[in-house]
Amino acid sequence: MNSLPVVFGNMAALPDTMEKTAREIIRSGEPAACHWRFRLDELKWQEFVRHLGNDPAVFIGLWCDGDEICAAVNDGSIAETGPRPLMVSYRLDGPRFPGLSRVRIAAAPFERMIRDLWGVEAMEGSDLRPLVDHGTWSCTAPLAKRPGPAPFGSDLPEFARPDPQVAAHGMIFGRGPATGSADGPVHFRLGIANGLIRTVETRAGYAHRGIIARMRGATIPRVTELAGRVGAGSAVAHQWAFSAAVENATGIVCTTAASRSRVVLTETERIATHLLTLARTARSVEAASVATGLYRLREQILCLCGKATGRRLLMDFICPGGLIPLGRQDMLSLAGIVSELSGLCVDVVSACRFAVSELRALWQVVPGMKRRLQNVGRLTEEQSKMLGLQGSAGRACGYGGDLRLHLNAYGEIPFRPAVSIGGDILTRSEILFEEITESIRILENLADRISSDPEDEAESLCVSVSMPSERCDGYAAIEGPHGPVWYFVTLENGRIEHCFISDPAPVLLMATELVLPGTSPDNFDPVRYSFGVSIAAADL
Amino acid sequence: MSTVLMRALFASLLAPSGPALPPVVSRSPLMLFHVDSGGCEACGFEVEALINGGFGLAEAGLGFVNTPRTADMLLITGACSRMMAPVVRAAWDTMPLPKGLLAVGACAIDGGPFSANYSMLGGLDGQASVDCAIPGCPPSPRDILDGIVALISTTIMSPGNSEAGSQTG
């Protein structure tokens, strides 16, 4: 029985400790087959939404499976916790549901995606614009049980009414989706007045490939292939996260050799992706010497990857159970993989060790570069917390978490996440350089360990996966180059029934929109490149 | 290969200049305009590596531009989403004659892992006449360069050839 707090006058002597947290509300729901999943009725879902606003639980994502709305939060009292997700679902009773974005702004892109794909609308959502469906698809709500007809109307894009000051004294400047560069198809509509950007509106969806639809009911190898193509900059992280989620669902445990090999691939990918982000940032501020050096170093690393694995971007190398999808062992003999990966570690370390420190020094001494990047595109700690920003951009705003600290695969490797509080382009770049140095250290550490693995370990790089016919759920999170990549999978009859993906790209795009107002249009490219947003991963 | 490169270089150096009035068509070197029509960005990464990774594009008689108005060839990566189709079409229509179409990667050719669905058209195969298709998922920068050089050395898209181009619209 609940006892009332002792009250003196109108003041409680002690704070009311009986206030429920969002996580307690989730746990009070009906438990599902797996211990981290619960179902709530409508009243409890509303209570959950109400309490989520002040709860320290980290928001992971919001999805729909046709019958239910599912939200996932990381169960931790502090943001820097490891992956301990709680998933809560609410059975839909009509085309609307109480939205989460009014209390967690990071839920907005998920709600917009649900509206476009399933035709289910979030009530009181903070952003009601379409995300990926702009009237060009062959039908509306393509994943709904009864998709709607193709829209009939103008193909002209619709935008918000311009800001009054922009309308009176400024101009509208459009950028994309075809700019001749390789940074993904997206349209930015900038409202500029008095020499400064006042409004930013992003029109995404040009790269929407229907990945969620393609994954539904697909075989494991097919979904592994698709996971590697969510965004090429984090292909390894996505394929590892998906594979680990399947392993979690089916109870498979990878061998140590396979885990170490996955770390090698992930850290090599991180170095290559960070170098690309830095190179694009340097190019956007006309620091040609730095940009060329960074591009050349990246190319050198990709050549080494191609030589060692046959895949320059390291795609299609990780699968549930270990490495190399079954049936494709011809790609590289299993016995040779360990020695190739060990050689890759050594080669990448020797290519990067001095080159990175030289490029970092060059970054700091190029005339005018530091001044150009300092205090530009600054994301404050409050804004970062509001967005729930993690990854390298979050760590540039004081966020101290890194999922690698909690993953078993990294357990034997001393590792220190880089954290700073500047929040501007310069700080984000410094964090990327620091993370590259840390990844080099990890590879250096692993080179000896991998080559010292016994022969039989090398032979068991891929554990055979027997898929249960009954329904099972699994989850996994991997720290990708730009932040945590989460996968929640439901398997039935050996196929993927549902696959929920959370990538940092949508939140990074929101962060870009948040910091651009107030900056000079000249800083548009440096700001957006510094966040390293993958448009493909945001559009799915 | 080196002979081809040398020929392309001399052809680009000795090519007659284009017409003085708009539309301005660059004859030397062959200029490409890249459009990512909706893919995973891997092919775009490799095109970016080709441009910036020290592959000697200028020596091969190639260059990339940031507007289709001065491009000789349209380089497409990605499986072509329904949203990007009008953008690709507009870029193509903006290009001056003669012009060519280059599909880079499995997605751009036939959709690759992204076949036609509610949002994708599934590649250029059957949608447009492609002058050169470079397979791979993704093709390496060297593959892309070899494909383009083979095209310009064997077809009428050669910068040294002053006769009509491969596409007329």
Side-chain angles (χ1 to χ4, degrees), chain A residues 134 136-138 180 182 205-206 208 210 214 222 229 232 280 295-296 299 311-312 534-536, chain B residues 34 39-42 44-46 48-49 52 54-55 81 83 113 115 117-120 137 141:
Chain A
H134 296 279
T136 58
W137 292 355
S138 59
Y206 293 94
H208 178 74
R214 292 176 198 273
R222 168 70 175 147
R229 281 149 187 85
R280 285 176 171 178
Y295 273 120
R296 295 270 168 98
E299 180 56 30
R311 293 275 177 177
R312 281 166 51 90
S534 165
I535 297 302
Chain B
H34 172 219
C40 71
E41 298 176 349
F45 283 179
E46 296 298 48
E48 195 171 356
N52 300 290
F55 283 90
S81 65
M83 250 180 107
S115 53
N117 71 355
Y118 64 89
S119 68
M120 301 300 287
C137 186

mmCIF file of all heavy atoms in Angstrom, chain A residues 134 136-138 180 182 205-206 208 210 214 222 229 232 280 295-296 299 311-312 534-536, chain B residues 34 39-42 44-46 48-49 52 54-55 81 83 113 115 117-120 137 141:
data_model
loop_
_atom_site.group_PDB
_atom_site.id
_atom_site.type_symbol
_atom_site.label_atom_id
_atom_site.label_comp_id
_atom_site.label_asym_id
_atom_site.label_seq_id
_atom_site.Cartn_x
_atom_site.Cartn_y
_atom_site.Cartn_z
ATOM 1 N N HIS A 134 7.226 12.433 -50.785
ATOM 2 C CA HIS A 134 6.865 13.775 -51.263
ATOM 3 C C HIS A 134 5.989 13.694 -52.506
ATOM 4 O O HIS A 134 6.068 14.542 -53.390
ATOM 5 C CB HIS A 134 8.142 14.582 -51.534
ATOM 6 C CG HIS A 134 8.946 14.826 -50.294
ATOM 7 N ND1 HIS A 134 8.662 15.830 -49.393
ATOM 8 C CD2 HIS A 134 10.010 14.175 -49.774
ATOM 9 C CE1 HIS A 134 9.533 15.793 -48.395
ATOM 10 N NE2 HIS A 134 10.359 14.791 -48.599
ATOM 11 N N THR A 136 5.816 11.330 -54.917
ATOM 12 C CA THR A 136 6.314 10.743 -56.168
ATOM 13 C C THR A 136 6.234 9.215 -56.176
ATOM 14 O O THR A 136 6.541 8.589 -57.182
ATOM 15 C CB THR A 136 7.784 11.141 -56.415
ATOM 16 O OG1 THR A 136 8.563 10.700 -55.308
ATOM 17 C CG2 THR A 136 7.940 12.632 -56.597
ATOM 18 N N TRP A 137 5.866 8.626 -55.053
ATOM 19 C CA TRP A 137 5.834 7.160 -54.970
ATOM 20 C C TRP A 137 4.660 6.608 -55.764
ATOM 21 O O TRP A 137 3.712 7.330 -56.081
ATOM 22 C CB TRP A 137 5.712 6.716 -53.502
ATOM 23 C CG TRP A 137 6.921 7.019 -52.677
ATOM 24 C CD1 TRP A 137 8.100 7.546 -53.118
ATOM 25 C CD2 TRP A 137 7.057 6.827 -51.272
ATOM 26 N NE1 TRP A 137 8.966 7.682 -52.065
ATOM 27 C CE2 TRP A 137 8.356 7.257 -50.915
ATOM 28 C CE3 TRP A 137 6.227 6.342 -50.270
ATOM 29 C CZ2 TRP A 137 8.837 7.207 -49.612
ATOM 30 C CZ3 TRP A 137 6.690 6.278 -48.964
ATOM 31 C CH2 TRP A 137 7.988 6.705 -48.641
ATOM 32 N N SER A 138 4.713 5.283 -55.990
ATOM 33 C CA SER A 138 3.644 4.641 -56.745
ATOM 34 C C SER A 138 2.392 4.438 -55.897
ATOM 35 O O SER A 138 1.349 4.053 -56.410
ATOM 36 C CB SER A 138 4.126 3.289 -57.283
ATOM 37 O OG SER A 138 4.514 2.465 -56.205
ATOM 38 N N GLY A 180 26.704 17.762 -58.130
ATOM 39 C CA GLY A 180 27.944 17.318 -58.767
ATOM 40 C C GLY A 180 28.913 16.700 -57.783
ATOM 41 O O GLY A 180 29.914 16.120 -58.187
ATOM 42 N N ALA A 182 29.614 14.122 -54.243
ATOM 43 C CA ALA A 182 29.181 12.775 -53.881
ATOM 44 C C ALA A 182 28.592 12.709 -52.482
ATOM 45 O O ALA A 182 28.576 11.660 -51.865
ATOM 46 C CB ALA A 182 30.368 11.822 -53.993
ATOM 47 N N GLY A 205 14.530 12.251 -48.592
ATOM 48 C CA GLY A 205 13.724 11.227 -49.246
ATOM 49 C C GLY A 205 14.201 10.864 -50.638
ATOM 50 O O GLY A 205 13.716 9.898 -51.224
ATOM 51 N N TYR A 206 15.167 11.608 -51.194
ATOM 52 C CA TYR A 206 15.648 11.316 -52.548
ATOM 53 C C TYR A 206 16.356 9.963 -52.596
ATOM 54 O O TYR A 206 16.435 9.345 -53.644
ATOM 55 C CB TYR A 206 16.613 12.411 -53.014
ATOM 56 C CG TYR A 206 15.965 13.765 -53.212
ATOM 57 C CD1 TYR A 206 15.962 14.720 -52.205
ATOM 58 C CD2 TYR A 206 15.354 14.079 -54.416
ATOM 59 C CE1 TYR A 206 15.369 15.963 -52.384
ATOM 60 C CE2 TYR A 206 14.757 15.306 -54.606
ATOM 61 C CZ TYR A 206 14.767 16.248 -53.589
ATOM 62 O OH TYR A 206 14.176 17.464 -53.781
ATOM 63 N N HIS A 208 15.570 7.391 -50.537
ATOM 64 C CA HIS A 208 14.779 6.358 -49.852
ATOM 65 C C HIS A 208 14.642 5.143 -50.766
ATOM 66 O O HIS A 208 14.088 5.239 -51.850
ATOM 67 C CB HIS A 208 13.401 6.907 -49.474
ATOM 68 C CG HIS A 208 12.532 5.876 -48.815
ATOM 69 N ND1 HIS A 208 12.741 5.473 -47.520
ATOM 70 C CD2 HIS A 208 11.497 5.142 -49.283
ATOM 71 C CE1 HIS A 208 11.840 4.543 -47.206
ATOM 72 N NE2 HIS A 208 11.084 4.330 -48.265
ATOM 73 N N GLY A 210 13.472 2.067 -49.550
ATOM 74 C CA GLY A 210 12.516 1.099 -49.015
ATOM 75 C C GLY A 210 13.208 -0.055 -48.328
ATOM 76 O O GLY A 210 12.809 -1.210 -48.484
ATOM 77 N N ARG A 214 12.007 -3.942 -47.784
ATOM 78 C CA ARG A 214 12.769 -5.034 -48.399
ATOM 79 C C ARG A 214 13.210 -6.064 -47.360
ATOM 80 O O ARG A 214 13.391 -7.240 -47.663
ATOM 81 C CB ARG A 214 14.004 -4.480 -49.113
ATOM 82 C CG ARG A 214 13.679 -3.653 -50.340
ATOM 83 C CD ARG A 214 14.931 -3.056 -50.934
ATOM 84 N NE ARG A 214 14.623 -1.956 -51.831
ATOM 85 C CZ ARG A 214 14.337 -2.094 -53.119
ATOM 86 N NH1 ARG A 214 14.316 -3.297 -53.645
ATOM 87 N NH2 ARG A 214 14.072 -1.051 -53.872
ATOM 88 N N ARG A 222 20.023 -12.075 -47.249
ATOM 89 C CA ARG A 222 19.505 -10.906 -47.968
ATOM 90 C C ARG A 222 19.483 -9.677 -47.038
ATOM 91 O O ARG A 222 19.884 -8.579 -47.439
ATOM 92 C CB ARG A 222 18.097 -11.223 -48.474
ATOM 93 C CG ARG A 222 17.298 -10.040 -48.998
ATOM 94 C CD ARG A 222 17.847 -9.505 -50.294
ATOM 95 N NE ARG A 222 16.989 -8.457 -50.838
ATOM 96 C CZ ARG A 222 17.428 -7.419 -51.522
ATOM 97 N NH1 ARG A 222 18.717 -7.270 -51.738
ATOM 98 N NH2 ARG A 222 16.600 -6.526 -51.997
ATOM 99 N N ARG A 229 24.145 -1.898 -46.834
ATOM 100 C CA ARG A 229 23.900 -0.832 -47.809
ATOM 101 C C ARG A 229 22.949 0.231 -47.280
ATOM 102 O O ARG A 229 22.352 0.978 -48.053
ATOM 103 C CB ARG A 229 23.381 -1.439 -49.112
ATOM 104 C CG ARG A 229 24.523 -2.020 -49.925
ATOM 105 C CD ARG A 229 24.140 -3.208 -50.775
ATOM 106 N NE ARG A 229 25.330 -3.800 -51.379
ATOM 107 C CZ ARG A 229 26.111 -4.695 -50.769
ATOM 108 N NH1 ARG A 229 25.842 -5.085 -49.542
ATOM 109 N NH2 ARG A 229 27.180 -5.183 -51.376
ATOM 110 N N ALA A 232 27.020 3.577 -46.808
ATOM 111 C CA ALA A 232 28.315 2.937 -47.071
ATOM 112 C C ALA A 232 29.378 3.320 -46.041
ATOM 113 O O ALA A 232 30.286 2.546 -45.780
ATOM 114 C CB ALA A 232 28.798 3.305 -48.466
ATOM 115 N N ARG A 280 36.384 16.305 -46.458
ATOM 116 C CA ARG A 280 35.307 17.138 -47.008
ATOM 117 C C ARG A 280 35.252 18.490 -46.290
ATOM 118 O O ARG A 280 35.038 19.522 -46.920
ATOM 119 C CB ARG A 280 33.968 16.423 -46.862
ATOM 120 C CG ARG A 280 33.781 15.287 -47.840
ATOM 121 C CD ARG A 280 32.478 14.546 -47.594
ATOM 122 N NE ARG A 280 32.200 13.597 -48.654
ATOM 123 C CZ ARG A 280 31.147 12.790 -48.660
ATOM 124 N NH1 ARG A 280 30.288 12.809 -47.663
ATOM 125 N NH2 ARG A 280 30.936 11.957 -49.660
ATOM 126 N N TYR A 295 42.470 12.839 -48.305
ATOM 127 C CA TYR A 295 41.902 11.960 -49.344
ATOM 128 C C TYR A 295 42.912 10.889 -49.748
ATOM 129 O O TYR A 295 42.565 9.724 -49.929
ATOM 130 C CB TYR A 295 41.523 12.777 -50.576
ATOM 131 C CG TYR A 295 40.135 13.376 -50.532
ATOM 132 C CD1 TYR A 295 39.937 14.753 -50.612
ATOM 133 C CD2 TYR A 295 39.001 12.566 -50.440
ATOM 134 C CE1 TYR A 295 38.658 15.308 -50.594
ATOM 135 C CE2 TYR A 295 37.723 13.110 -50.424
ATOM 136 C CZ TYR A 295 37.562 14.483 -50.505
ATOM 137 O OH TYR A 295 36.298 15.012 -50.486
ATOM 138 N N ARG A 296 44.180 11.288 -49.899
ATOM 139 C CA ARG A 296 45.205 10.324 -50.322
ATOM 140 C C ARG A 296 45.414 9.237 -49.264
ATOM 141 O O ARG A 296 45.565 8.060 -49.596
ATOM 142 C CB ARG A 296 46.529 11.057 -50.576
ATOM 143 C CG ARG A 296 46.474 12.026 -51.738
ATOM 144 C CD ARG A 296 46.847 11.343 -53.041
ATOM 145 N NE ARG A 296 46.531 12.186 -54.187
ATOM 146 C CZ ARG A 296 47.407 12.947 -54.825
ATOM 147 N NH1 ARG A 296 48.653 12.979 -54.425
ATOM 148 N NH2 ARG A 296 47.042 13.657 -55.860
ATOM 149 N N GLU A 299 42.543 6.880 -49.396
ATOM 150 C CA GLU A 299 42.674 6.007 -50.553
ATOM 151 C C GLU A 299 43.692 4.895 -50.284
ATOM 152 O O GLU A 299 43.477 3.739 -50.644
ATOM 153 C CB GLU A 299 43.076 6.840 -51.778
ATOM 154 C CG GLU A 299 43.251 6.055 -53.058
ATOM 155 C CD GLU A 299 42.019 5.247 -53.442
ATOM 156 O OE1 GLU A 299 40.896 5.668 -53.102
ATOM 157 O OE2 GLU A 299 42.179 4.175 -54.059
ATOM 158 N N ARG A 311 37.482 -6.312 -50.572
ATOM 159 C CA ARG A 311 36.419 -5.304 -50.460
ATOM 160 C C ARG A 311 37.010 -4.012 -49.939
ATOM 161 O O ARG A 311 37.412 -3.942 -48.780
ATOM 162 C CB ARG A 311 35.332 -5.779 -49.491
ATOM 163 C CG ARG A 311 34.558 -6.970 -49.980
ATOM 164 C CD ARG A 311 33.438 -6.501 -50.874
ATOM 165 N NE ARG A 311 32.685 -7.607 -51.430
ATOM 166 C CZ ARG A 311 31.621 -7.429 -52.196
ATOM 167 N NH1 ARG A 311 31.193 -6.211 -52.465
ATOM 168 N NH2 ARG A 311 30.988 -8.439 -52.684
ATOM 169 N N ARG A 312 37.053 -2.991 -50.779
ATOM 170 C CA ARG A 312 37.659 -1.728 -50.349
ATOM 171 C C ARG A 312 36.884 -1.094 -49.197
ATOM 172 O O ARG A 312 37.463 -0.518 -48.287
ATOM 173 C CB ARG A 312 37.707 -0.750 -51.517
ATOM 174 C CG ARG A 312 38.841 -0.994 -52.496
ATOM 175 C CD ARG A 312 38.631 -0.235 -53.783
ATOM 176 N NE ARG A 312 38.344 1.155 -53.581
ATOM 177 C CZ ARG A 312 39.260 2.128 -53.512
ATOM 178 N NH1 ARG A 312 40.525 1.827 -53.638
ATOM 179 N NH2 ARG A 312 38.904 3.382 -53.333
ATOM 180 N N SER A 534 25.135 10.960 -43.113
ATOM 181 C CA SER A 534 24.929 10.077 -44.267
ATOM 182 C C SER A 534 23.469 10.229 -44.694
ATOM 183 O O SER A 534 22.548 9.809 -43.977
ATOM 184 C CB SER A 534 25.224 8.628 -43.883
ATOM 185 O OG SER A 534 24.699 7.776 -44.871
ATOM 186 N N ILE A 535 23.262 10.807 -45.872
ATOM 187 C CA ILE A 535 21.896 11.015 -46.350
ATOM 188 C C ILE A 535 21.222 9.670 -46.627
ATOM 189 O O ILE A 535 20.036 9.478 -46.359
ATOM 190 C CB ILE A 535 21.918 11.888 -47.635
ATOM 191 C CG1 ILE A 535 22.498 13.269 -47.298
ATOM 192 C CG2 ILE A 535 20.529 12.030 -48.234
ATOM 193 C CD1 ILE A 535 21.778 14.033 -46.221
ATOM 194 N N ALA A 536 22.003 8.725 -47.146
ATOM 195 C CA ALA A 536 21.438 7.397 -47.438
ATOM 196 C C ALA A 536 20.919 6.739 -46.160
ATOM 197 O O ALA A 536 19.838 6.150 -46.151
ATOM 198 C CB ALA A 536 22.499 6.524 -48.094
ATOM 199 N N HIS B 34 28.375 14.382 -61.986
ATOM 200 C CA HIS B 34 27.967 13.219 -61.192
ATOM 201 C C HIS B 34 26.635 13.470 -60.493
ATOM 202 O O HIS B 34 26.454 14.499 -59.842
ATOM 203 C CB HIS B 34 29.057 12.898 -60.151
ATOM 204 C CG HIS B 34 28.647 11.848 -59.167
ATOM 205 N ND1 HIS B 34 28.976 11.901 -57.837
ATOM 206 C CD2 HIS B 34 27.918 10.713 -59.306
ATOM 207 C CE1 HIS B 34 28.480 10.856 -57.211
ATOM 208 N NE2 HIS B 34 27.841 10.117 -58.078
ATOM 209 N N GLY B 39 21.283 5.789 -53.746
ATOM 210 C CA GLY B 39 21.918 4.502 -53.452
ATOM 211 C C GLY B 39 22.442 4.515 -52.030
ATOM 212 O O GLY B 39 22.003 5.327 -51.205
ATOM 213 N N CYS B 40 23.423 3.654 -51.772
ATOM 214 C CA CYS B 40 23.967 3.589 -50.409
ATOM 215 C C CYS B 40 25.175 4.510 -50.242
ATOM 216 O O CYS B 40 25.800 4.513 -49.202
ATOM 217 C CB CYS B 40 24.330 2.151 -50.064
ATOM 218 S SG CYS B 40 25.762 1.541 -50.954
ATOM 219 N N GLU B 41 25.537 5.247 -51.276
ATOM 220 C CA GLU B 41 26.649 6.197 -51.290
ATOM 221 C C GLU B 41 27.998 5.552 -51.571
ATOM 222 O O GLU B 41 29.002 6.248 -51.693
ATOM 223 C CB GLU B 41 26.745 7.016 -49.987
ATOM 224 C CG GLU B 41 25.526 7.888 -49.732
ATOM 225 C CD GLU B 41 25.575 8.625 -48.403
ATOM 226 O OE1 GLU B 41 26.437 8.310 -47.574
ATOM 227 O OE2 GLU B 41 24.731 9.513 -48.218
ATOM 228 N N ALA B 42 28.054 4.220 -51.659
ATOM 229 C CA ALA B 42 29.355 3.560 -51.852
ATOM 230 C C ALA B 42 29.968 3.948 -53.197
ATOM 231 O O ALA B 42 31.151 4.291 -53.275
ATOM 232 C CB ALA B 42 29.193 2.041 -51.757
ATOM 233 N N GLY B 44 29.287 6.581 -54.892
ATOM 234 C CA GLY B 44 29.632 8.006 -54.785
ATOM 235 C C GLY B 44 30.971 8.188 -54.099
ATOM 236 O O GLY B 44 31.782 9.030 -54.496
ATOM 237 N N PHE B 45 31.217 7.390 -53.048
ATOM 238 C CA PHE B 45 32.518 7.447 -52.348
ATOM 239 C C PHE B 45 33.655 7.146 -53.325
ATOM 240 O O PHE B 45 34.704 7.781 -53.304
ATOM 241 C CB PHE B 45 32.571 6.417 -51.225
ATOM 242 C CG PHE B 45 31.806 6.801 -49.978
ATOM 243 C CD1 PHE B 45 31.761 5.941 -48.894
ATOM 244 C CD2 PHE B 45 31.155 8.013 -49.877
ATOM 245 C CE1 PHE B 45 31.078 6.271 -47.738
ATOM 246 C CE2 PHE B 45 30.455 8.361 -48.733
ATOM 247 C CZ PHE B 45 30.411 7.481 -47.668
ATOM 248 N N GLU B 46 33.427 6.124 -54.178
ATOM 249 C CA GLU B 46 34.495 5.715 -55.090
ATOM 250 C C GLU B 46 34.712 6.762 -56.191
ATOM 251 O O GLU B 46 35.840 6.959 -56.625
ATOM 252 C CB GLU B 46 34.177 4.340 -55.690
ATOM 253 C CG GLU B 46 34.114 3.200 -54.661
ATOM 254 C CD GLU B 46 35.428 2.954 -53.922
ATOM 255 O OE1 GLU B 46 36.036 3.925 -53.431
ATOM 256 O OE2 GLU B 46 35.840 1.795 -53.820
ATOM 257 N N GLU B 48 34.243 9.936 -55.653
ATOM 258 C CA GLU B 48 34.954 10.986 -54.915
ATOM 259 C C GLU B 48 36.432 10.622 -54.761
ATOM 260 O O GLU B 48 37.316 11.481 -54.881
ATOM 261 C CB GLU B 48 34.307 11.181 -53.539
ATOM 262 C CG GLU B 48 34.721 12.454 -52.846
ATOM 263 C CD GLU B 48 33.902 12.727 -51.596
ATOM 264 O OE1 GLU B 48 32.959 11.960 -51.295
ATOM 265 O OE2 GLU B 48 34.211 13.713 -50.902
ATOM 266 N N ALA B 49 36.697 9.326 -54.512
ATOM 267 C CA ALA B 49 38.088 8.872 -54.407
ATOM 268 C C ALA B 49 38.805 9.020 -55.744
ATOM 269 O O ALA B 49 39.990 9.372 -55.797
ATOM 270 C CB ALA B 49 38.134 7.412 -53.948
ATOM 271 N N ASN B 52 39.657 12.754 -56.075
ATOM 272 C CA ASN B 52 40.605 13.329 -55.110
ATOM 273 C C ASN B 52 41.758 12.414 -54.710
ATOM 274 O O ASN B 52 42.621 12.823 -53.943
ATOM 275 C CB ASN B 52 39.858 13.729 -53.828
ATOM 276 C CG ASN B 52 38.774 14.747 -54.099
ATOM 277 O OD1 ASN B 52 39.060 15.889 -54.408
ATOM 278 N ND2 ASN B 52 37.515 14.325 -54.008
ATOM 279 N N GLY B 54 44.232 11.035 -56.346
ATOM 280 C CA GLY B 54 45.498 11.032 -57.079
ATOM 281 C C GLY B 54 45.534 10.028 -58.204
ATOM 282 O O GLY B 54 46.538 9.335 -58.407
ATOM 283 N N PHE B 55 44.440 9.916 -58.957
ATOM 284 C CA PHE B 55 44.395 8.961 -60.065
ATOM 285 C C PHE B 55 44.780 9.589 -61.404
ATOM 286 O O PHE B 55 44.659 8.954 -62.434
ATOM 287 C CB PHE B 55 42.987 8.340 -60.157
ATOM 288 C CG PHE B 55 42.750 7.300 -59.103
ATOM 289 C CD1 PHE B 55 42.216 7.641 -57.873
ATOM 290 C CD2 PHE B 55 43.086 5.975 -59.326
ATOM 291 C CE1 PHE B 55 42.011 6.689 -56.896
ATOM 292 C CE2 PHE B 55 42.890 5.020 -58.348
ATOM 293 C CZ PHE B 55 42.349 5.370 -57.130
ATOM 294 N N SER B 81 15.852 6.681 -57.672
ATOM 295 C CA SER B 81 14.568 6.724 -56.966
ATOM 296 C C SER B 81 13.566 7.520 -57.793
ATOM 297 O O SER B 81 13.938 8.297 -58.675
ATOM 298 C CB SER B 81 14.756 7.370 -55.596
ATOM 299 O OG SER B 81 15.127 8.724 -55.748
ATOM 300 N N MET B 83 11.907 9.912 -56.784
ATOM 301 C CA MET B 83 12.101 11.335 -56.484
ATOM 302 C C MET B 83 13.256 11.922 -57.276
ATOM 303 O O MET B 83 13.269 13.101 -57.601
ATOM 304 C CB MET B 83 12.399 11.498 -54.992
ATOM 305 C CG MET B 83 11.273 12.156 -54.220
ATOM 306 S SD MET B 83 11.697 12.296 -52.510
ATOM 307 C CE MET B 83 12.004 14.047 -52.369
ATOM 308 N N PRO B 113 20.980 -4.402 -55.507
ATOM 309 C CA PRO B 113 20.125 -4.898 -54.420
ATOM 310 C C PRO B 113 18.820 -4.111 -54.275
ATOM 311 O O PRO B 113 17.963 -4.488 -53.487
ATOM 312 C CB PRO B 113 20.998 -4.724 -53.174
ATOM 313 C CG PRO B 113 22.026 -3.728 -53.543
ATOM 314 C CD PRO B 113 22.203 -3.768 -55.019
ATOM 315 N N SER B 115 15.963 -3.329 -56.370
ATOM 316 C CA SER B 115 15.109 -3.472 -57.553
ATOM 317 C C SER B 115 13.926 -2.507 -57.447
ATOM 318 O O SER B 115 13.719 -1.878 -56.416
ATOM 319 C CB SER B 115 14.614 -4.917 -57.644
ATOM 320 O OG SER B 115 14.025 -5.272 -56.408
ATOM 321 N N ASN B 117 10.571 -0.761 -56.761
ATOM 322 C CA ASN B 117 9.488 -0.906 -55.787
ATOM 323 C C ASN B 117 8.727 0.421 -55.731
ATOM 324 O O ASN B 117 8.818 1.228 -56.657
ATOM 325 C CB ASN B 117 10.018 -1.361 -54.416
ATOM 326 C CG ASN B 117 10.809 -0.285 -53.692
ATOM 327 O OD1 ASN B 117 11.060 0.793 -54.230
ATOM 328 N ND2 ASN B 117 11.191 -0.548 -52.466
ATOM 329 N N TYR B 118 8.008 0.664 -54.650
ATOM 330 C CA TYR B 118 7.159 1.861 -54.584
ATOM 331 C C TYR B 118 7.957 3.162 -54.697
ATOM 332 O O TYR B 118 7.433 4.181 -55.105
ATOM 333 C CB TYR B 118 6.350 1.862 -53.288
ATOM 334 C CG TYR B 118 7.182 1.951 -52.030
ATOM 335 C CD1 TYR B 118 7.531 3.181 -51.486
ATOM 336 C CD2 TYR B 118 7.628 0.803 -51.380
ATOM 337 C CE1 TYR B 118 8.302 3.273 -50.340
ATOM 338 C CE2 TYR B 118 8.394 0.879 -50.241
ATOM 339 C CZ TYR B 118 8.722 2.107 -49.729
ATOM 340 O OH TYR B 118 9.503 2.194 -48.592
ATOM 341 N N SER B 119 9.268 3.119 -54.319
ATOM 342 C CA SER B 119 10.045 4.361 -54.332
ATOM 343 C C SER B 119 11.196 4.336 -55.334
ATOM 344 O O SER B 119 11.787 5.373 -55.593
ATOM 345 C CB SER B 119 10.610 4.644 -52.934
ATOM 346 O OG SER B 119 11.580 3.679 -52.604
ATOM 347 N N MET B 120 11.533 3.171 -55.858
ATOM 348 C CA MET B 120 12.695 3.066 -56.748
ATOM 349 C C MET B 120 12.277 2.624 -58.143
ATOM 350 O O MET B 120 11.353 1.829 -58.297
ATOM 351 C CB MET B 120 13.705 2.033 -56.203
ATOM 352 C CG MET B 120 14.257 2.300 -54.836
ATOM 353 S SD MET B 120 15.134 3.858 -54.678
ATOM 354 C CE MET B 120 16.631 3.531 -55.563
ATOM 355 N N CYS B 137 30.001 -3.550 -57.030
ATOM 356 C CA CYS B 137 29.200 -3.090 -55.895
ATOM 357 C C CYS B 137 30.115 -2.839 -54.695
ATOM 358 O O CYS B 137 30.169 -3.638 -53.790
ATOM 359 C CB CYS B 137 28.122 -4.109 -55.536
ATOM 360 S SG CYS B 137 26.982 -3.552 -54.248
ATOM 361 N N PRO B 141 37.789 2.938 -57.908
ATOM 362 C CA PRO B 141 38.104 4.101 -58.737
ATOM 363 C C PRO B 141 38.873 3.709 -59.999
ATOM 364 O O PRO B 141 38.659 4.276 -61.061
ATOM 365 C CB PRO B 141 38.970 4.966 -57.818
ATOM 366 C CG PRO B 141 38.625 4.546 -56.448
ATOM 367 C CD PRO B 141 38.252 3.115 -56.531
#
